[in-house]
Structure formats: C-alpha cells, structure tokens
Amino acid sequence: MSLEVILLAIGSIFPWGFYLIYTQPNTGREKRFFFIIFFALLLGWISTELVLRASAWIWPETEIKAKVAKSILSQTAFLAFVKAGMMEEFCKSILIVSLSLVFAYNWKKKEFLPETFLVGGFIALGFAGIENYHYILTAKEDDRIHTFILRTLKSSNAHLLINLCFALCLIKSNKRQFPDKYWYILSGFLLAVVQHGLFDFFVIPVGRFGHWAATALFVGIWVWIVKDRRVYMKEEKIYKIQKEKPPEEEISRSVPEIIR
C-alpha cells in the first residue's frame, strides 16, 4: 500500500465530506455524527466488496464464442445500467436504509431524520474513496495527479449526488402514508439506477459530447438536491429535541386572566 495513493484517495473525498458536515442543519443530535460518519464510511468500503463479489458470481468470466458480435452500444448500455448502475446502487441503497434505521430514524413517529442525508453522503464517499484508490494506484506515476483530479471532480461527485438523491427520497417519504411510502422509496432506488446508468453511459465512451452531457447531469442533480434540501431539511422546529417550547395555547391557558 502506497501512502501517497492513500492520501490522494482521502483527498478525493475530503472536500465533499467537509461540505456535508458544514451544511448539516443543527438538530441537537450532533453527538451521533461521529458514529454516523465512521460506520457510513465503513459500509461504503463494504459495499465495494459486495459489488465485486456479486458481479463475479452473477457474471463469471467465461470464454463463449458468439455467432453474432454484440454492438458497442448494447455493451455500453449493459455495463452502465445493469452491471454497474443496478449492482452498485442496490448494494449502497440497502446499506443506506439499514444504517439510517439505526442512527437516523424516529421509531415513534416512523420518520427518517435529517441525519439520513449524512448517511447517504458518507456511504457514497466511502465507496468512491475505495474506488478512487484503486484507479489512482493502477495509473502511471505521471498520471496519478491527473487521475486524482478527475476522480475528485467526477467520480466522487457522481456517487455523492446519486446517493444524496436517494437519501432525500427517504426523508421525503415521511410525508407519505403506508404503503405509498414503500413505493416512493423504491422509486428513489430506480432513480438512482437511472442516474448512475446515464452517467456511465455518457462517460464510458470517452467522448467530448459525453463529458458535456455528464456535466449537465451534474448541474441538474445539484440544483434538485439544493432545492429539496432547503424544503425538507430546514424544518428545525420539527426535529429539534433541545430547548423545546410548549405550544402557545398551553402557555396561554396556564396564565391566569387579569380581571380589570
């Protein structure tokens, strides 16, 4: 293991992690942030192992002589939407829901807390950090800095945005009743698969149009996340557990009337 590569891999996810922590709204539960970040990064690493093992089991490498050659378009679509998009997002989504139920769920109200945003973000960064480490390690020494910059701006950004969208779907599902809540979460997973597939479909061919399309996708998802985040994660009165005040009606009833 190279110390330089490890530092570059950590640096490729550090700015995004700082953004998540700095912008997380104050809910009075900041003590659990360390445990959320630690276990989320750990599960992000575990998700990479799950993806590799599941892919090797479902699609083992075998030599098959096909009579008809597959087109590049179909191969790219299969790799982007199925082998990469569906497998990676399935493993990460399962872990995001599981960890959110432990650290970011109100079992009395049956609601996901704003900390779900941290869970989704840091599981994505844990996955991206391990992935970036392997890409930087296998790159030539002269190309390591170039690979580090590209992975920081593109790969880490893509994984983060996709899983933040899914985390927001969990939070937005609080407004829905059962069983619509389950269908809404399922639609969030399918959205993550489509986003991941589109990103890989544009980037894998390594063309100028693909990079511009991927950039446009980034901008659109960022706008979407920022807009929904302002609506669903700034309601501090709902989630605040410290310094809670009783309703105004109860206060008025406790105060005796002044008779003049």
Side-chain angles (χ1 to χ4, degrees):
M1 297 178 67
S2 174
L3 180 60
E4 178 187 1
V5 177
I6 294 176
L7 293 177
L8 290 175
I10 295 174
S12 66
I13 63 174
F14 179 79
W16 308 113
F18 176 79
Y19 161 79
L20 291 176
I21 298 174
Y22 183 77
T23 59
Q24 183 70 13
N26 179 20
T27 61
R29 295 180 292 271
E30 288 75 15
K31 294 182 179 179
R32 69 177 68 179
F33 281 9
F34 171 79
F35 298 98
I36 291 175
I37 294 172
F38 174 78
F39 285 107
L41 291 174
L42 179 62
L43 292 182
W45 169 72
I46 293 176
S47 64
T48 59
E49 297 296 327
L50 292 176
V51 170
L52 293 176
R53 294 179 183 274
S55 297
W57 180 70
I58 298 175
W59 297 288
E61 296 182 359
T62 56
E63 295 182 359
I64 300 176
K65 295 181 180 180
K67 296 181 180 180
V68 180
K70 295 182 179 179
S71 64
I72 298 178
L73 182 62
S74 62
Q75 290 179 350
T76 304
F78 173 78
L79 180 62
F81 288 93
V82 180
K83 196 170 183 180
M86 185 171 291
M87 290 298 302
E88 291 184 11
E89 297 311 320
F90 177 78
C91 294
K92 289 189 292 181
S93 297
I94 291 295
L95 297 178
I96 290 173
V97 174
S98 300
L99 191 61
S100 297
L101 293 176
V102 176
F103 289 108
Y105 192 75
N106 189 328
W107 288 93
K108 293 183 179 180
K109 296 182 179 180
K110 305 297 181 181
E111 293 180 349
F112 287 96
L113 301 176
E115 287 84 344
T116 305
F117 199 75
L118 285 180
V119 173
F122 278 97
I123 285 182
L125 293 180
F127 186 95
I130 299 298
E131 191 178 62
N132 294 343
Y133 171 81
H134 288 289
Y135 276 94
I136 297 173
L137 182 64
T138 56
K140 298 180 181 179
E141 293 186 2
D142 297 337
D143 295 334
R144 282 184 175 178
I145 300 299
H146 179 69
T147 304
F148 159 73
I149 295 174
L150 290 179
R151 301 298 298 182
T152 302
L153 296 178
K154 292 184 178 181
S155 178
S156 299
N157 192 9
H159 285 292
L160 178 66
L161 290 176
I162 293 169
N163 290 138
L164 287 183
C165 277
F166 180 73
L168 279 174
C169 285
L170 295 179
I171 296 175
K172 290 189 288 185
S173 68
N174 295 335
K175 304 295 182 180
R176 298 178 179 271
Q177 301 296 327
F178 297 95
D180 292 340
K181 188 183 187 77
Y182 297 115
W183 290 109
Y184 193 82
I185 295 175
L186 178 61
S187 65
F189 164 71
L190 296 178
L191 175 63
V193 174
V194 172
Q195 290 174 338
H196 195 134
L198 285 175
F199 172 76
D200 285 351
F201 186 78
F202 290 140
V203 173
I204 289 176
V206 189
R208 180 175 298 180
F209 172 78
H211 287 289
W212 281 108
T215 303
L217 183 63
F218 284 162
V219 175
I221 298 177
W222 266 118
V223 172
W224 190 358
I225 289 176
V226 172
K227 181 180 178 181
D228 285 352
R229 192 173 184 273
R230 289 177 179 176
V231 175
Y232 293 93
M233 293 185 59
K234 289 298 183 181
E235 301 176 1
E236 297 181 1
K237 294 182 180 179
I238 298 178
Y239 301 105
K240 200 79 170 179
I241 62 174
Q242 293 181 353
K243 298 181 180 180
E244 292 184 349
K245 296 181 180 180
E248 296 181 358
E249 295 181 0
E250 295 181 5
I251 296 177
S252 61
R253 292 177 182 176
S254 62
V255 178
E257 296 182 358
I258 301 177
I259 302 178
R260 295 183 180 181

